[in-house]
Amino acid sequence: MTRYLLDTNIISNAVKPQPSASLIEWMACQRDEDLFIASLTIAEIRRGILELPSGKRRDALEAWFAGNDGPQSLFAGRVLSFDDRAGLIWARLMAEDKTTGRPRSSLDMILAAVAEANDCMMVTDNERDFRGFQTFNPLRHEAEEGKH
């Protein structure tokens, strides 16, 4: 079975008022125990909510985040940390990027390192950010949804 690490943009899309139909269909075909998020994703989502101005949208997102459908509840037991193993992978990735002159986002490489350390495929709609890694974009692969 394939294990998947969901990028923050995948979680954000899934909770939109009108999420991608192909994403929702793909997620419905997966076993919960094969879907993971990183602790960084929780932090990125929380930061995004905190940066919103006060109002109905922020209040609704605050309630979602803290509720049973929020990421910490929904992925309880399936939140992967940036641990020492992932840290060593991250250091290698960042050093490789520097020597090739093609730097990438430190945050994206934290997610890539967590995915590699936990034998997960990255699920993202920004494959370019994870060049050189095994990725899957359920927003682009509608015809393949049932296969993954």
Side-chain angles (χ1 to χ4, degrees), residues 52-83:
L52 290 173
S54 296
K56 289 181 184 180
R57 182 168 180 242
R58 180 174 172 167
D59 292 346
L61 287 171
E62 290 272 5
W64 163 77
F65 186 84
N68 291 334
D69 290 332
Q72 291 170 291
S73 293
L74 209 54
F75 289 89
R78 295 177 290 126
V79 177
L80 304 176
S81 297
F82 182 65
D83 59 11

Side-chain angles (χ1 to χ4, degrees), residues 104-117:
R104 294 188 269 196
S105 160
S106 295
L107 295 179
D108 286 341
M109 290 304 94
I110 288 172
L111 289 177
V114 169
E116 185 176 319

Side-chain angles (χ1 to χ4, degrees), residues 75-109:
F75 289 89
R78 295 177 290 126
V79 177
L80 304 176
S81 297
F82 182 65
D83 59 11
D84 58 337
R85 185 171 173 209
L88 294 174
I89 294 168
W90 177 86
R92 175 181 48 85
L93 295 173
M94 296 304 291
E96 287 172 357
D97 284 353
K98 185 168 183 166
T99 59
T100 63
R102 297 180 65 190
R104 294 188 269 196
S105 160
S106 295
L107 295 179
D108 286 341
M109 290 304 94

Side-chain angles (χ1 to χ4, degrees), residues 2-105:
T2 302
R3 293 163 42 110
Y4 299 98
L5 180 65
L6 306 180
D7 193 359
T8 306
N9 58 47
I10 294 296
I11 300 299
S12 295
N13 187 303
V15 299
K16 285 181 178 180
Q18 293 186 350
S20 164
S22 61
L23 171 61
I24 298 305
E25 289 172 26
W26 177 81
M27 289 182 75
C29 291
Q30 307 311 308
R31 298 180 328 153
D32 285 350
E33 57 267 24
D34 294 329
L35 300 176
F36 298 85
I37 61 172
S39 55
L40 175 61
T41 295
I42 292 172
E44 286 184 309
I45 292 169
R46 183 69 181 140
R47 185 191 88 198
I49 293 169
L50 293 172
E51 290 176 350
L52 290 173
S54 296
K56 289 181 184 180
R57 182 168 180 242
R58 180 174 172 167
D59 292 346
L61 287 171
E62 290 272 5
W64 163 77
F65 186 84
N68 291 334
D69 290 332
Q72 291 170 291
S73 293
L74 209 54
F75 289 89
R78 295 177 290 126
V79 177
L80 304 176
S81 297
F82 182 65
D83 59 11
D84 58 337
R85 185 171 173 209
L88 294 174
I89 294 168
W90 177 86
R92 175 181 48 85
L93 295 173
M94 296 304 291
E96 287 172 357
D97 284 353
K98 185 168 183 166
T99 59
T100 63
R102 297 180 65 190
R104 294 188 269 196
S105 160

Side-chain angles (χ1 to χ4, degrees), residues 4 10 20-27 29-30 121-127 134-148:
Y4 299 98
I10 294 296
S20 164
S22 61
L23 171 61
I24 298 305
E25 289 172 26
W26 177 81
M27 289 182 75
C29 291
Q30 307 311 308
M121 179 186 296
M122 279 299 309
V123 177
T124 182
D125 69 349
N126 290 326
E127 301 105 317
Q134 187 178 18
T135 62
F136 178 70
N137 182 346
L139 281 66
R140 286 188 9 161
H141 293 86
E142 294 183 41
E144 298 180 35
E145 290 164 1
K147 297 178 186 175
H148 295 279

